[in-house]
């Protein structure tokens, strides 16, 4: 009787171990599969993406124009009013050039971490520095001057663009963060999350292009108001 | 050969159990530090590991062929501890999972918590299986004694 009871106990223990083995096997395979998916990389060339290409062109053009701003040729009255505008523009340019998106320009193996960092730079610093702080500072400085009205229209359009950029980058950020949510990869999660790397890059590049367009538009406004390249 | 392999795995499992517990403990410390919660609230996670460790210590003093020579038990234990360690290591080092970056603590607490119920169930299964084999050892040992008499 005791032998039968002993065999029964062993059978029970083996059943429990079998379930443990199945769970372990499931977790092991799912993890290895998930690890491969979250580490997915795709080789891209920035010049294949029109928005990324335009972004670089805008930044280079803005840099060229800013470097040619010569305050010494302005009248003393004008200098007093607009002396710091060049600094605001230069600071915005520096912020853009310090972003990882700008630094990585060329061919690279794009993965989720790269893309997340690009979007994060945009979300946390570029949008604020180039689409809020810079235009707002210029707008404040130009109050009660004859240049205010011409800048006000540009300022309003920048504000509208900033809302769009923030909204899209926030959406992309949340979507990217979900790359580690679904450990059990199904066809649905694969098609909605893992296959969107290049699509998300296109959207992020478009946002960067908006930022560069903002900088360039303010530089061009400055050029029109204060005599262009000197 | 089977007996040697079982014994190797038996002693290796000691180290792996400690490593698995260390991995989960580290994860819970990181998670609870971020949430500013007391680690005592996570006691229900550590108790199964403590019980399993206790059971393993008890087995050291029971010269049972049903446990030390049980290749299936040792192999399943080995794989289970391996999976627990794998999850703990991924939560710490797999930076491709973007939630790793979200909280800026150098750890992915959500990944660990997603897997924690599976890991604890593994530990519970191992506890029950070991306890059943200990009981079996005592039941059949008594019978052997009677036969000898």
């Amino acid at each position: 009787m005791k032998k039968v009871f002993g065999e029964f106990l062993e059978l029970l223990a083996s059943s429990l171990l079998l379930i443990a083995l199945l769970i372990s096997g499931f977790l092991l395979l799912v993890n290895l599969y998930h690890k491969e998916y979250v580490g997915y990389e795709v080789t891209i060339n920035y010049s294949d993406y029109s928005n990324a290409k335009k972004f670089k062109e805008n930044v280079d053009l803005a840099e060229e124009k800013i470097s040619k701003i010569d305050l010494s040729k302005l009248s003393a009255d004008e200098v007093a009013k607009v002396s710091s505008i060049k600094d605001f523009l230069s600071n915005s340019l520096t912020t853009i050039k310090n972003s990882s998106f700008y630094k990585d320009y060329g061919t690279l193996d794009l993965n989720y971490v790269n893309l997340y960092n690009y979007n994060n730079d945009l979300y946390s610093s570029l949008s604020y520095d180039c689409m809020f702080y810079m235009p707002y500072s210029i707008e404040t400085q130009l109050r009660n001057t004859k240049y205010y009205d011409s800048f006000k229209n540009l300022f309003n359009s920048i504000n509208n663009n900033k809302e769009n950029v923030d909204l899209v980058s926030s959406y992309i950020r949340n979507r990217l963060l979900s790359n580690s949510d679904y450990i059990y990869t199904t066809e649905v999660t694969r098609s909605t999350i893992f296959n969107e790397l290049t699509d998300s890059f296109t959207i992020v590049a478009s946002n960067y292009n908006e930022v560069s367009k903002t900088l360039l538009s303010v530089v061009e406004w400055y050029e029109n108001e204060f005599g262009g390249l000197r | 050969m089977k007996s040697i392999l079982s014994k190797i795995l038996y002693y290796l499992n000691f180290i792996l159990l400690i490593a698995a517990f260390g991995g989960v403990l580290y994860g819970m410390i990181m998670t609870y530090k971020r949430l500013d919660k007391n680690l005592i609230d996570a006691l229900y996670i550590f108790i199964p590991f403590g019980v399993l460790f206790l059971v393993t210590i008890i087995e050291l003093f029971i010269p049972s062929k049903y446990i030390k020579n049980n290749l299936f038990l040792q192999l399943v234990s080995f794989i289970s501890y391996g999976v627990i360690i794998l999850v703990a290591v991924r939560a710490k080092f797999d930076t491709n999972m973007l939630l790793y970056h979200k909280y800026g603590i150098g750890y992915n607490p959500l990944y660990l918590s997603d897997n924690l119920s599976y890991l604890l169930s593994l530990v519970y299964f191992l506890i029950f299986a070991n306890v059943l084999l200990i009981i079996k050892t005592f039941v059949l040992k008594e019978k052997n004694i009677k036969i000898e008499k």
Side-chain angles (χ1 to χ4, degrees), chain A residues 2 10 31 34 176 179, chain B residues 90 96 98-99 111 136 142:
Chain A
K2 279 185 179 173
E10 180 154 14
N31 267 289
H34 186 249
L176 287 173
N179 94 321
Chain B
R90 275 199 81 194
N96 285 325
L98 294 179
L99 286 172
Y111 171 72
K136 183 192 172 185
E142 197 184 341

Side-chain angles (χ1 to χ4, degrees), chain A residues 109-124:
Chain A
D109 291 329
L110 183 73
N111 59 27
Y112 287 101
V113 182
N114 295 138
L115 196 56
Y116 180 77
N117 288 336
Y118 297 159
N119 195 58
N120 224 25
D121 285 347
L122 190 75
Y123 191 72
S124 58

Side-chain angles (χ1 to χ4, degrees), chain A residues 198-227:
Chain A
T198 48
D199 296 343
S200 299
F201 178 78
T202 311
I203 298 169
V204 170
S206 160
N207 268 349
Y208 269 90
N209 188 28
E210 281 300 320
V211 173
S212 70
K213 275 196 317 204
T214 301
L215 178 64
L216 189 62
S217 63
V218 178
V219 172
E220 282 172 346
W221 166 85
Y222 182 93
E223 193 180 81
N224 292 335
E225 288 297 325
F226 299 100

Side-chain angles (χ1 to χ4, degrees), chain A residues 130-226:
Chain A
C130 305
M131 301 186 89
F132 175 73
Y133 181 71
M134 183 266 283
Y136 185 77
S137 303
I138 294 174
E139 193 250 343
T140 311
Q141 195 161 30
L142 293 176
R143 276 180 196 162
N144 302 321
T145 68
K146 62 179 179 180
Y147 308 108
Y148 183 75
D149 289 339
S150 68
F151 187 75
K152 187 69 186 168
N153 294 332
L154 182 61
F155 180 72
N156 289 338
S157 97
I158 291 171
N159 273 344
N160 290 338
N161 284 347
K162 184 187 184 302
E163 279 177 21
N164 287 337
V165 167
D166 285 348
L167 194 71
V168 174
S169 56
S170 167
Y171 170 76
I172 289 289
R173 183 172 183 265
N174 290 333
R175 260 197 103 70
L176 287 173
L177 281 174
S178 65
N179 94 321
S180 34
D181 279 0
Y182 302 98
I183 186 167
Y184 183 64
T185 309
T186 64
E187 196 54 47
V188 175
T189 56
R190 191 180 298 119
S191 60
T192 53
I193 298 168
F194 298 117
N195 292 349
E196 286 194 348
L197 197 58
T198 48
D199 296 343
S200 299
F201 178 78
T202 311
I203 298 169
V204 170
S206 160
N207 268 349
Y208 269 90
N209 188 28
E210 281 300 320
V211 173
S212 70
K213 275 196 317 204
T214 301
L215 178 64
L216 189 62
S217 63
V218 178
V219 172
E220 282 172 346
W221 166 85
Y222 182 93
E223 193 180 81
N224 292 335
E225 288 297 325
F226 299 100

Side-chain angles (χ1 to χ4, degrees), chain A residues 50 56 66 71 91 95 106-107 126 135 139 142 164 187 208:
Chain A
S50 61
K56 182 75 165 67
I66 290 170
L71 293 175
N91 288 343
T95 310
T107 305
L126 260 78
E139 193 250 343
L142 293 176
N164 287 337
E187 196 54 47
Y208 269 90

